[in-house]
Amino acid sequence: MTLASLTAALPADWSFYAVGAVATFLMALGKGAFGGGLAILGIPLLALVMDPIQAAIVTALLVAFMDFFALGSFPRTAWSKPDLTWIMPGFLAGLFLGFLTFEWVDRRWVALVIALITLAFTIHHFARRGAAPAAIPVMPGFAALAGAGAGFTTYVAHAGGPPMALYLLRRGLTKTEFAATTVIIFTIGNLVKLPGYVYSGLDEPTVFVKALVLAPIVPFGVLIGRWLHDRLPRERLFTLCYVLVGLAGTKLLVDALRALWMT
């Protein structure tokens, strides 16, 4: 792509830059502060200013870039290796199933699945507020199931954080252990799924330009998030962000249902 064609591919709508900047910053903030979890914002927010499938590809490119900054923010010694042993096989299987769904299922249905997953996790977030379940030991079956669910949802909707948190938050890990373990899981996942998303974007090369335009926001978001790691309660930030997720997910659901109804 030449400089002239690159310039021509730049979005002209100011709303893309406004919404895209907010979505990218919040995703990077969550990556730096808690190891992830806010990538779920990417598709529903970006889908306000672009096609949902394009939004999924742009989000995949951005979160993979975020991992370069976030991985070095947490020490390897904080990884919960016993949990990783059981999580990763299921996680990789879930990624493969997500790839098949993304590539072979009608895109209108994929958009509907993304909307439903987004809203389901939004509802779950608010339903469990105030709950403080007792810590559990390493549970291989639970870990593998959570890994598979996280792998599938992270590929289809970049929403792997909630199913992974269903298990890891029950383990009684420290905030740093939770963040460090989450970072390495999704760094591996984002690298594995990146070629599939690049392949999906070859027919729509403007998605790479859109991701490139938003990329400079990433290091600032991760840096500020890391600074907030020891200063901001996790639930306070997530509650505000899930309000945005719910509103954007609702719009995405309405648009998906309308597209299916009109065919």
Side-chain angles (χ1 to χ4, degrees):
M1 182 175 284
T2 65
L3 180 60
S5 61
L6 179 65
T7 304
L10 290 174
D13 188 352
W14 67 267
S15 62
F16 163 80
Y17 298 96
V19 174
V22 171
T24 303
F25 178 78
L26 290 177
M27 288 189 290
L29 186 75
K31 180 73 73 172
F34 311 115
L38 297 186
I40 191 175
L41 283 166
I43 298 177
L45 287 183
L46 290 175
L48 297 174
V49 291
M50 68 178 75
D51 173 79
I53 304 303
Q54 284 195 4
I57 298 171
V58 170
T59 301
L61 296 170
L62 289 173
V63 295
F65 185 46
M66 292 172 195
D67 290 327
F68 285 102
F69 298 93
L71 191 59
S73 299
F74 300 98
R76 294 183 180 183
T77 54
W79 298 352
S80 180
K81 296 179 179 63
D83 290 307
L84 290 173
T85 299
W86 297 105
I87 287 171
M88 292 312 300
F91 185 74
L92 294 174
L95 283 174
F96 180 68
L97 181 59
F99 168 74
L100 294 178
T101 300
F102 194 84
E103 285 298 318
W104 297 105
V105 176
D106 186 301
R107 290 194 169 193
R108 294 166 300 175
W109 287 104
V110 173
L112 179 62
V113 169
I114 291 171
L116 292 175
I117 290 173
T118 300
L119 291 175
F121 288 137
T122 301
I123 293 170
H124 173 266
H125 171 80
F126 288 104
R128 71 176 177 81
R129 289 184 66 191
I136 61 174
V138 175
M139 298 181 66
F142 190 2
L145 184 62
F152 177 79
T153 54
T154 195
Y155 199 103
V156 173
H158 303 295
M164 187 57 62
L166 289 177
Y167 173 73
L168 288 179
L169 288 177
R170 294 290 306 277
R171 287 279 292 114
L173 304 177
T174 67
K175 184 164 62 173
T176 299
E177 289 172 336
F178 173 84
T181 304
T182 301
V183 163
I184 186 57
I185 290 171
F186 289 108
T187 295
I188 294 172
N190 289 333
L191 288 175
V192 170
K193 71 184 183 182
L194 189 59
Y197 270 104
V198 170
Y199 172 77
S200 299
L202 292 179
D203 293 332
E204 305 175 75
T206 57
V207 297
F208 301 107
V209 177
K210 291 175 180 178
L212 186 63
V213 168
L214 298 174
I217 301 170
V218 167
F220 296 102
V222 174
L223 181 64
I224 294 173
R226 189 64 187 89
W227 181 80
L228 289 173
H229 178 72
D230 296 320
R231 296 171 175 81
L232 185 68
R234 182 176 186 271
E235 286 301 317
R236 184 178 301 173
L237 174 63
F238 273 40
T239 295
L240 293 175
C241 290
Y242 269 99
V243 170
L244 295 177
V245 169
L247 293 174
T250 299
K251 181 183 184 301
L252 186 57
L253 177 64
V254 172
D255 290 345
L257 290 174
R258 182 183 295 117
L260 288 168
W261 179 263
M262 293 176 64
T263 57

